[in-house]
């Protein structure tokens, strides 16, 4: 049974996430989620080590952005599993709200990642989405998803908690750009929930696309990175037509200027830490 070692155990941000992940596995032992999760066997916070049960199955993909489409049955299984998780209610007090969306919008505007019109439109959509928050895994990368026949297992729960509805689907929608079927299925499921759900999905995609764009612009240039950056930029431009339908050629997200001495826009989650966790910095 493998030990899962925190890649940056000395970093305060990840020490906090380590504690949250260990607490998540304890919460799952008290209230079983609708997806398979490994049992926590032991934890050493000082060394940043979790000893977990090994789950059967194979990763949905070894790549953060799978270059080829996922199989139909895998797409359906993963989308269904994340939808079931969003409808699950953990033990009260076991998980907290993770993002303060309004503060996050303000930070992104301050860092030049949004234009004023984007901030205004997303603030309106945030109001339209309403106060509802759903439980989410928070980081359903293909490498965190285990498939075993129709069963789906999820690993790495350090970002789990409450978000606007459809956070997990929003990230999956971004990462599976090479699987149009997944995007179509997710969009249909969201639309069935009504305008508030569509607004929440749009806000989540905006937050995540902005993060992915910022990160890819700060990575060293490489063919794969440049290809992803082009795809993310197209997705961002298309998303902005939701609130700027009059723009035939919407402007891309502002290019970052010289690096400034401020935290990464996702809080203490530095780009270097993000690279280690993603395991896919090319």
């Amino acid at each position: 049974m493998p030990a899962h070692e925190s890649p940056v155990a000395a970093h305060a941000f990840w020490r906090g996430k380590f504690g949250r992940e260990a607490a998540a596995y304890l919460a799952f032992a008290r209230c079983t989620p609708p997806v398979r999760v490994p049992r926590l066997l032991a934890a050493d916070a000082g060394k940043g080590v979790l000893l977990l049960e090994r789950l059967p199955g194979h990763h949905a993909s070894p790549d953060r952005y799978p270059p080829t489409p996922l199989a139909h049955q895998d797409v359906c299984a993963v989308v269904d599993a994340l939808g079931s998780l969003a409808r699950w209610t953990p033990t009260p007090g076991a998980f907290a709200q993770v993002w303060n969306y309004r503060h996050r919008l303000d930070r992104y505007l301050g860092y030049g990642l949004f234009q004023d019109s984007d901030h205004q439109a997303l603030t309106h959509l945030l109001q339209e989405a309403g106060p509802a928050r759903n439980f989410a895994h928070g980081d359903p990368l293909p490498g965190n998803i285990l498939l075993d026949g129709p069963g789906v297992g999820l690993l790495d729960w350090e970002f789990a908690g409450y978000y606007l509805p459809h956070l997990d689907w929003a990230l999956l929608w971004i990462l599976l750009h090479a699987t149009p079927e997944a995007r179509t299925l997710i969009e249909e499921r969201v639309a069935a929930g009504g305008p508030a759900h569509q607004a929440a999905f749009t806000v989540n995609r905006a937050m995540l696309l902005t993060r992915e764009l910022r990160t890819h612009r700060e990575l060293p240039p490489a063919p794969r990175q440049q290809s992803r950056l082009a795809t993310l930029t197209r997705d961002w431009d298309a998303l902005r037509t939701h609130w700027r339908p009059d723009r035939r050629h919407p402007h891309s997200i502002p290019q970052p200027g010289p690096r400034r001495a401020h935290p990464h826009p996702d809080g203490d989650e530095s780009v270097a830490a993000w690279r280690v966790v993603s395991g896919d910095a090319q």
Side-chain angles (χ1 to χ4, degrees):
M1 297 185 182
H4 174 65
E5 184 174 45
S6 172
V8 280
H11 195 289
F13 174 84
W14 292 108
R15 284 201 303 271
K17 292 300 181 185
F18 176 91
R20 292 187 187 95
E21 182 167 15
Y25 291 118
L26 294 175
F28 297 149
R30 296 191 297 269
C31 184
T32 305
V35 296
R36 290 187 294 117
V37 298
R39 289 185 298 115
L40 176 63
L41 304 177
D44 186 329
K47 295 181 179 179
V49 176
L50 292 177
L51 188 65
L52 302 173
E53 173 189 23
R54 184 182 181 88
L55 292 180
H58 63 277
H59 295 288
S61 172
D63 296 302
R64 184 181 184 89
Y65 289 84
T68 57
L70 300 189
H72 169 78
Q73 63 271 22
D74 292 343
V75 169
C76 294
V78 172
V79 171
D80 286 346
L82 294 177
S84 296
L85 187 65
R87 295 188 295 271
W88 180 61
T89 303
T91 302
F95 296 91
Q97 182 172 321
V98 180
W99 284 356
N100 183 319
Y101 283 85
R102 193 171 299 279
H103 290 176
R104 203 173 187 86
L105 284 171
D106 292 345
R107 286 207 316 272
Y108 281 22
L109 177 66
Y111 295 148
L113 303 181
F114 288 149
Q115 296 178 2
D116 287 339
S117 57
D118 300 323
H119 182 270
Q120 292 168 6
L122 287 166
T123 299
H124 176 75
L125 285 169
L126 184 58
Q127 294 171 345
E128 187 177 337
R133 297 293 185 269
N134 290 353
F135 184 75
H137 176 277
D139 197 31
L141 310 180
N144 288 339
I145 300 171
L146 286 176
L147 300 168
D148 184 30
V152 174
L154 291 175
L155 308 174
D156 292 350
W157 290 86
E158 64 267 26
F159 294 98
Y162 289 93
Y163 299 83
L164 278 176
H166 312 310
L167 184 283
D168 286 342
W169 279 352
L171 182 55
L172 200 67
W173 186 96
I174 293 168
L175 301 181
L176 298 187
H177 64 81
T179 308
E181 178 190 9
R183 290 190 162 189
T184 299
L185 180 58
I186 290 169
E187 289 166 0
E188 291 173 349
R189 298 283 180 88
V190 171
H197 283 248
Q198 290 175 300
F201 183 59
T202 299
V203 172
N204 279 324
R205 279 192 294 167
M207 298 292 95
L208 293 166
L209 276 168
T210 304
R211 182 189 72 183
E212 296 291 307
L213 278 163
R214 170 65 180 261
T215 302
H216 278 76
R217 287 195 170 117
E218 294 187 350
L219 291 173
R224 186 185 298 184
Q225 174 260 355
Q226 292 295 311
S227 175
R228 289 178 182 166
L229 184 55
T231 298
L232 289 165
T233 300
R234 286 194 298 269
D235 284 341
W236 171 249
D237 286 345
L239 183 65
R240 292 179 84 217
T241 64
H242 283 253
W243 59 84
R244 302 182 69 165
D246 58 315
R247 300 304 293 260
R248 293 173 124 195
H249 302 288
H251 296 302
S252 298
I253 188 170
Q255 294 286 339
R259 299 195 63 165
R260 292 173 286 170
H262 59 62
H264 191 267
D266 291 313
D268 289 333
E269 185 177 359
S270 67
V271 173
W274 184 93
R275 290 185 205 170
V276 173
V277 173
S278 71
D280 187 8
Q282 294 184 344

